[in-house]
Amino acid sequence: MSMSTLSYAKHVFLAVASMSLLWFASRRFFCSMASEQVTSGLHSAAFVTCPDKDVATKLARGLVEKDLVACVNIIPGLTSVYKWEGKVEEDNEVLMMIKTRTAKISEVTSFVRENHPYDVAEVISVQIDQGNPPYLKWISDSVPE
């Protein structure tokens, strides 16, 4: 065998071995993902605006302590432009991004309405259709049915 034939054979062997390893690894990865079922709509993300971080933190702690939600992210730096009582308003606000079970949204809404300083508190939610299965399982484990 000439040197170029040997070099070619070595490259072909390495390419086939690499492809085999990639196939095996991807099959293992995708099979393990398939075993982690996601039930669409079981979880929701809710959004609540607050006048400041202190209000948001107090609401967030209450929601988590009462096991109504798994997690609340408090996102500063919003500017809200809206119409209130016929006048265009602009305010700095904080956004709460809440993760919970869909079945708990009405209780979350009630808690926010009872404890929020606004006359009309924003509480809107969307069902989670897809997500990281271990994270969604954590939400389920953190929020009792």
Side-chain angles (χ1 to χ4, degrees):
M1 244 192 242
S2 71
M3 189 59 114
S4 63
T5 306
L6 188 57
S7 177
Y8 176 76
K10 181 178 167 185
H11 281 67
V12 168
F13 173 78
L14 289 174
V16 169
S18 297
M19 288 172 45
S20 297
L21 281 171
L22 284 172
W23 177 84
F24 179 75
S26 67
R27 181 170 160 72
R28 204 165 161 213
F29 172 75
F30 288 115
C31 287
S32 70
M33 280 189 67
S35 67
E36 298 181 56
Q37 295 296 320
V38 173
T39 303
S40 179
L42 181 63
H43 306 95
S44 285
F47 302 92
V48 175
T49 50
C50 296
D52 57 47
K53 185 180 179 219
D54 292 339
V55 170
T57 301
K58 183 179 176 185
L59 288 170
R61 287 188 164 280
L63 289 164
V64 172
E65 287 168 0
K66 291 186 176 298
D67 292 327
L68 295 175
V69 307
C71 176
V72 179
N73 303 111
I74 298 171
I75 306 165
L78 291 181
T79 300
S80 295
V81 179
Y82 57 97
K83 193 175 275 192
W84 183 251
E85 298 177 347
K87 183 179 171 195
V88 176
E89 302 283 346
E90 184 174 321
D91 288 310
N92 293 322
E93 292 185 300
V94 179
L95 179 67
M96 297 170 59
M97 186 171 66
I98 300 165
K99 278 75 71 183
T100 189
R101 290 176 177 269
T102 299
K104 295 289 185 178
I105 290 297
S106 63
E107 291 177 71
V108 168
T109 301
S110 294
F111 180 87
V112 171
R113 289 180 68 190
E114 292 167 8
N115 295 283
H116 202 289
Y118 290 168
D119 293 336
V120 180
E122 174 186 0
V123 184
I124 58 174
S125 68
V126 293
Q127 290 184 354
I128 298 170
D129 184 44
Q130 294 291 319
N132 179 17
Y135 184 79
L136 298 177
K137 182 181 180 316
W138 172 76
I139 293 173
S140 292
D141 292 345
S142 299
V143 181
E145 288 186 61

